Amino acid sequence: VNQKIAEQCKLLNIPVSVADNKYLCTFYFPGIIKQDNMVIALTSSGENHAKVKKASENIKRMINDILD
């Protein structure tokens, strides 16, 4: 079902993220860090979500330390 939906989305130029198949994705959700008027987004291009989460948490801590 996911593959068929992805194929239809591509035909209609609708961005699609397929959770179980990174090769069908036309975009990836980044890890987002928002602090005051700054926004930082990280992605591993679908390769390693856990690594992005860990990096995002570390960067957020560093930013908080700098701004406090």
Side-chain angles (χ1 to χ4, degrees):
V1 172
N2 288 346
Q3 182 176 349
K4 289 182 188 234
I5 292 170
E7 290 168 0
Q8 288 299 308
C9 287
K10 286 181 184 180
L11 288 173
L12 298 170
N13 292 320
I14 299 171
V16 63
S17 178
V18 182
D20 64 342
N21 189 332
K22 70 178 181 177
Y23 300 107
L24 295 177
C25 295
T26 58
F27 73 96
Y28 302 103
F29 288 103
I32 305 276
I33 302 164
K34 292 181 182 179
Q35 182 72 30
D36 298 330
N37 62 346
M38 294 186 300
V39 178
I40 301 169
L42 301 172
T43 181
S44 65
S45 298
E47 294 293 321
N48 191 330
H49 301 294
K51 185 185 265 187
V52 169
K53 181 179 179 185
K54 185 175 180 179
S56 295
E57 291 168 351
N58 288 334
I59 291 170
K60 187 171 187 174
R61 274 196 301 276
M62 289 173 19
I63 290 170
N64 286 334
D65 289 345
I66 292 168
L67 297 178
D68 286 343

